[in-house]
């Protein structure tokens, strides 16, 4: 009798998790964009940190179903999107077809295999919290950026509640407990918890910690931008009250930094 031994690591589990999530990813506010108001807010945020010059190249890491790739294309970037999940990429390819200079490939954000000094911008959304090795990833992003190029990291610390938002978190729990139509935990909730317990930022993706790792990787002009209110208000119109409150209690941010010229 032969025995098959699975040779899987954390990154394999992360890939499979997001492949499962691809089935419903575009149905949830906070992932897909559901209004012109939100799209304009995203474009304003990204242009604030990346500028509006035309003809530049952007690398969208963990591009998922192509939401950020499309925004970057709208801002005038020629976009390369990488994702670990072929299931995510299949949905992204269908979505971006005929909508601008966007190329999508299977790839690893910690080892892109892209040429050095080749991109004007590296952008990620909801990736850094799930990276097994952020220091290696940030060094890689520094390598592929042109001198003067910028990285923009959109993420959230969903574990540590800022002191001034603890009342909001308490209120979110109360509203959720009193709500009649709270959906059951998704089938992937245990997988999410297991992955979160083993990644680098298992105790929360704190923006100050992310910023310090970027500096250690050689970036400068590091900026933590928490002014994402217009995006969150637009998303909230499609969320139940308890979820809007939960998100309002979280520390959500964009961190940008520049590779020295």
């Amino acid at each position: 009798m032969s025995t098959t031994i699975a040779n899987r690591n954390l990154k394999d589990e992360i890939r499979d998790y997001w492949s499962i999530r691809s089935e419903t990813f575009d149905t949830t506010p906070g992932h897909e964009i559901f209004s012109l108001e939100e799209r304009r807010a995203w474009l304003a945020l990204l242009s604030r940190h990346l500028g509006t010059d035309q003809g530049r190249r952007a690398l969208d890491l963990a591009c998922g179903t192509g939401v950020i790739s499309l925004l970057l294309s709208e801002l005038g970037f020629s976009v390369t999107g990488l994702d670990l999940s072929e299931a995510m990429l299949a949905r992204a390819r269908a979505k971006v077809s005929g909508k601008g200079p966007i190329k999508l490939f299977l790839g690893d954000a910690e080892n892109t295999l892209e040429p050095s000094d080749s991109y004007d911008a590296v952008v990620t959304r909801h990736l850094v919290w799930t990276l097994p090795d952020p220091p290696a990833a940030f060094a890689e992003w520094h390598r592929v950026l042109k001198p003067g190029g910028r990285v923009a990291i959109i993420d959230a610390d969903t574990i540590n509640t800022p002191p001034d938002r603890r009342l909001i978190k308490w209120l979110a729990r109360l509203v959720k407990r009193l709500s009649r139509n709270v959906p059951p935990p998704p089938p992937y909730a245990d997988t999410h918890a297991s992955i979160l317990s083993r990644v680098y930022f298992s105790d929360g993706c704190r923006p100050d910690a992310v910023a310090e790792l970027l500096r250690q990787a050689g970036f400068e002009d590091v900026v933590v931008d928490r002014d994402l209110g217009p995006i969150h208000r637009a998303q909230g119109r499609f969320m139940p009250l308890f979820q809007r409150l939960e998100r309002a209690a979280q520390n959500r941010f964009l961190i940008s930094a520049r590779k020295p010229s």
Side-chain angles (χ1 to χ4, degrees):
M1 179 182 294
S2 63
T3 302
T4 301
I5 300 175
N7 183 18
R8 288 167 52 82
N9 59 25
L10 177 57
K11 197 166 289 186
D12 293 326
E13 294 182 44
I14 292 169
R15 178 202 62 217
D16 292 348
Y17 169 78
W18 287 111
S19 293
I20 294 170
R21 293 291 308 273
S22 71
E23 298 172 7
T24 58
F25 192 86
D26 283 342
T27 67
T28 54
H31 292 150
E32 179 57 283
I33 295 173
F34 289 98
S35 69
L36 179 60
E37 178 187 8
E38 183 184 350
R39 177 170 293 281
R40 287 172 174 167
W42 275 113
L43 291 170
L45 176 70
L46 292 170
S47 62
R48 186 159 77 231
H49 290 274
L50 302 177
T52 57
D53 296 339
Q54 302 292 302
R56 294 175 297 160
R57 300 186 68 211
L59 182 61
D60 180 14
L61 294 173
C63 64
T65 63
V67 175
I68 299 299
S69 292
L70 285 167
L71 291 170
L72 292 170
S73 177
E74 194 168 341
L75 288 174
F77 285 97
S78 175
V79 183
T80 298
L82 300 183
D83 203 282
L84 272 178
S85 167
E86 185 59 58
M88 282 285 192
L89 287 171
R91 294 177 183 273
R93 291 185 182 111
K95 187 187 296 184
V96 308
S97 178
K99 294 184 179 179
I102 303 173
K103 299 178 181 179
L104 303 172
F105 302 100
L106 198 66
D108 184 348
E110 293 179 347
N111 183 25
T112 67
L113 303 180
E114 292 296 297
S116 299
D117 304 326
S118 56
Y119 287 95
D120 300 283
V122 170
V123 183
T124 77
R125 184 180 69 156
H126 304 164
L127 166 65
V128 167
W129 76 266
T130 193
L131 286 172
D133 192 353
F138 295 171
E140 172 72 353
W141 305 352
H142 188 278
R143 180 187 68 79
V144 302
L145 278 170
K146 298 176 183 177
R150 299 196 68 88
V151 61
I153 295 169
I154 304 150
D155 225 298
D157 181 357
T158 60
I159 295 176
N160 303 290
T161 305
D164 62 344
R165 302 184 195 176
R166 288 172 183 166
L167 179 59
I168 299 175
K169 185 174 182 178
W170 175 86
L171 184 59
R173 289 174 174 170
L174 176 63
V175 171
K176 187 174 184 178
R177 190 160 56 243
L178 296 175
S179 298
R180 296 181 178 180
N181 297 315
V182 177
Y188 48 76
D190 289 343
T191 303
H192 177 278
S194 175
I195 290 171
L196 179 58
S197 71
R198 290 176 288 148
V199 294
Y200 185 97
F201 288 117
S202 59
D203 62 348
C205 188
R206 300 174 185 268
D208 56 342
V210 175
E212 179 56 29
L213 288 178
L214 286 170
R215 294 186 186 97
Q216 292 175 15
F219 288 95
E220 60 185 24
D221 297 339
V222 181
V223 175
V224 179
D225 186 349
R226 294 181 174 86
D227 185 17
L228 276 62
I231 292 171
H232 298 153
R233 286 191 293 274
Q235 293 172 345
R237 292 188 172 88
F238 301 90
M239 296 176 179
L241 177 58
F242 75 83
Q243 188 178 7
R244 295 201 302 271
L245 291 168
E246 285 175 344
R247 291 172 70 87
Q250 295 168 353
N251 191 359
R252 294 180 171 269
F253 54 84
L254 182 150
I255 300 178
S256 65
R258 184 174 63 86
K259 179 177 178 175
S261 300

